[in-house]
Amino acid sequence: MSEELNPFEIAQRQLDTAAEIMQLDPAVHEFLRWPIRELHVTLAVRMDDGSTQIFHGFRVQYNDARGPSKGGLRFHPHETIDTVRALSAWMTWKTAVMDIPLGGAKGGVICNPKVMSPGELERLSRAYIRQVGRILGENLDVPAPDVYTTPQIMAWMMDEYSVLRGYNVPGMITGKPLPLGGSAGRGDATARGGMYCVREAAKLLGLKTEGMSMAIQGFGNAGQYAATLGPELLGARIVAASDSQGGVYNPKGLDPDALIAHKMETGSVVDFPGSDSITNAELLELDVDILVPAALENQITLDNVDQVKAKIVAELANGPTTPDADDILYKKGIYVIPDFLCNAGGVTVSYFEQVQNSYGYYWKELEVHKLLDEKMTTAFHSVAEAAKAYDINNRMAAYVVAVGRVAEACKLRGWV
Ligand code: NAD
């Protein structure tokens, strides 16, 4: 059976289902199916060997009814405009479900950062801001890191934007290094928020997280912090992890710090001493308590959903589960914490970063953790209550909460 895998068509289909459940006004529904604006740019970048390479990039501002738009920036060889559109839609629902006063956007550049030097990455980052900077700003649209972009890239972008404006504008981007106005607690915020959600889910299910086994697909920012915070916050045991080159498994547990050190040293989790090799596909099918997709879209599909055995799926990645697979997970009684709720810790602390930048006063890490916990816990329970009230799965419940808030803002503004 063939399945729709275009992320934007998936995002639209999810919205359509939610609109039906909510009996959303047809004009509001049609308005919310599309990005409000998007910019396509072509960037010429001088490479280290003296040649000039041409790159294509995007910025999509999906909806800013609730506040300036917000969303990460991805550098990836397979980036497409439809992926960026989908991610910008999910950002809109994410800021709304968290009830933070921001809209949704996303950006991307088609490139392979793994084969680019730091100098080439810096020139590409600055070129992106020279073209896209005209639609960015702390009251307009604020980017952040995503797949294969880093705090260093945010720093170059902030500097280029400040040069263009002629004054320092730290609040135009988040996920910056601490000395340039980054927030304490931003680094691990996505994984931390996800672990708070797992804690709340376990309470609802009457389960103890202590000793639970956890498998993590994707071992970058989100995945590595999940590996250390799973044991620290939940008492969970990391039994498997993978990255784009393959995976490792040990049912007795993997030492997260040693695994991170191995990845830093060799570039991959593969061949970690004391573990067996597994493929990414096998990792998703392990008999574990908690499965954490933390890589890319379309990982749990009709092809493998029947083999998924986890009790809880905590989606740190955006769009890891297709709608058809989602229905089956729900029928199987697997508790899914949907992406734009589960991974919202990152944007929440990015929002805290914007707030701190605007008043020039910085909070301590423990304060950030406390505020993040409050925000995640409140959002988690608003979704759990909607799921119960409408008798729907958690993803649709998150849509009902988020779309309701965005629709209300659009109506109040007189847009629709
Ligand atoms: P990252 O670039 O730090 O790491 C990505 C990881 O995924 C790498 O380890 C890479 O090897 C691995 N990977 C790539 N393709 C893979 C594949 N086919 N199978 C298994 N692993 C694969 O990126 P990140 O910031 O950790 O983002 C990961 C996911 O989390 C993305 O979906 C992103 O949109 C989402 N997310 C990240 C944040 C954040 O704050 N970083 C916030 C919200 C959502």
Side-chain angles (χ1 to χ4, degrees):
M1 183 172 168
S2 75
E3 195 179 9
E4 179 55 65
L5 295 181
N6 176 317
F8 185 49
E9 288 182 21
I10 288 178
Q12 286 185 315
R13 180 171 153 195
Q14 290 168 336
L15 174 72
D16 295 345
T17 310
E20 207 177 308
I21 294 167
M22 302 165 72
Q23 304 198 325
L24 197 63
D25 174 298
V28 177
H29 175 196
E30 184 58 20
F31 184 63
L32 294 181
R33 293 186 90 238
W34 303 99
I36 285 183
R37 67 187 81 80
E38 54 186 53
L39 182 63
H40 296 226
V41 294
T42 304
L43 310 170
V45 176
R46 191 86 63 221
M47 307 306 278
D48 289 348
D49 64 4
S51 66
T52 299
Q53 203 168 315
I54 307 305
F55 295 91
H56 298 280
F58 317 102
R59 185 73 187 169
V60 177
Q61 297 173 341
Y62 198 85
N63 188 293
D64 53 6
R66 288 174 42 86
S69 43
K70 179 94 192 89
L73 178 57
R74 194 176 270 197
F75 282 0
H76 199 278
H78 302 136
E79 190 64 295
T80 67
I81 183 61
D82 274 347
T83 310
V84 182
R85 286 176 179 139
L87 290 163
S88 71
W90 291 327
M91 280 306 302
T92 306
W93 315 135
K94 192 185 301 191
T95 53
V97 85
M98 294 308 295
D99 204 11
I100 54 185
L102 298 171
K106 202 81 185 190
V109 177
I110 306 169
C111 66
N112 185 357
K114 288 186 180 172
V115 299
M116 294 172 71
S117 72
E120 290 168 344
L121 278 175
E122 175 175 355
R123 291 190 290 279
L124 175 65
S125 302
R126 291 185 185 276
Y128 183 81
I129 291 299
R130 282 198 299 279
Q131 290 311 319
V132 179
R134 64 201 72 199
I135 62 163
L136 301 177
E138 67 245 269
N139 294 315
L140 265 178
D141 179 12
V142 181
D146 193 75
V147 174
Y148 299 152
T149 54
T150 59
Q152 177 61 73
I153 290 173
M154 301 303 109
W156 290 324
M157 291 187 165
M158 188 278 274
D159 181 70
E160 188 69 21
Y161 186 86
S162 298
V163 169
L164 291 172
R165 287 282 173 275
Y167 54 92
N168 256 323
V169 196
M172 64 75 53
I173 205 160
T174 60
K176 299 179 291 294
L178 283 179
L180 291 181
S183 175
R186 175 62 182 88
D188 70 13
T190 301
R192 182 175 288 275
M195 296 304 113
Y196 291 149
C197 287
V198 174
R199 180 194 67 200
E200 295 306 305
K203 275 189 214 159
L204 271 189
L205 298 169
L207 300 171
K208 276 202 161 29
T209 58
E210 192 68 38
M212 274 188 169
S213 53
M214 183 185 281
I216 303 171
Q217 187 206 35
F219 212 60
N221 173 294
Q224 288 180 25
Y225 281 118
T228 53
L229 291 173
E232 185 187 321
L233 298 176
L234 306 172
R237 185 174 87 255
I238 308 304
V239 297
S242 67
D243 57 30
S244 56
Q245 296 176 49
V248 288
Y249 175 56
N250 182 342
K252 293 197 185 111
L254 301 163
D255 176 346
D257 293 324
L259 186 57
I260 291 168
H262 177 79
K263 164 113 183 156
M264 298 287 273
E265 206 180 301
T266 66
S268 172
V269 295
V270 171
D271 290 335
F272 180 60
S275 69
D276 295 331
S277 293
I278 51 167
T279 63
N280 264 298
E282 287 165 342
L283 180 140
L284 296 171
E285 298 171 6
L286 288 174
D287 191 359
V288 289
D289 297 306
I290 308 165
L291 174 63
V292 182
L296 295 171
E297 306 82 36
N298 296 333
Q299 300 301 308
I300 303 178
T301 67
L302 279 183
D303 289 339
N304 61 3
V305 65
D306 286 334
Q307 277 74 52
V308 174
K309 301 175 190 74
K311 293 190 181 73
I312 297 174
V313 176
E315 295 182 341
L316 288 184
N318 283 303
T321 309
T322 61
D324 292 325
D326 228 3
D327 290 342
I328 294 174
L329 290 177
Y330 187 51
K331 284 190 193 119
K332 284 172 69 163
I334 294 177
Y335 195 91
V336 176
I337 309 172
D339 50 5
F340 68 78
L341 168 66
C342 193
N343 68 30
V347 73
T348 304
V349 176
S350 274
Y351 161 62
F352 295 162
E353 184 174 330
Q354 282 179 256
V355 171
Q356 294 168 84
N357 291 155
S358 73
Y359 68 64
Y361 179 79
Y362 291 84
W363 308 336
K364 294 204 166 31
E365 192 168 12
L366 279 182
E367 183 67 13
V368 172
H369 292 170
K370 187 170 149 272
L371 292 168
L372 175 63
D373 195 348
E374 280 170 22
K375 275 290 201 194
M376 295 302 308
T377 304
T378 305
F380 177 91
H381 288 286
S382 65
V383 170
E385 276 162 31
K388 207 168 154 198
Y390 287 86
D391 194 17
I392 50 179
N393 71 26
N394 289 328
R395 189 174 327 273
M396 278 307 120
Y399 264 94
V400 166
V401 173
V403 172
R405 289 178 182 159
V406 177
E408 183 186 26
C410 292
K411 284 214 167 209
L412 284 169
R413 281 175 180 265
W415 287 358
V416 276

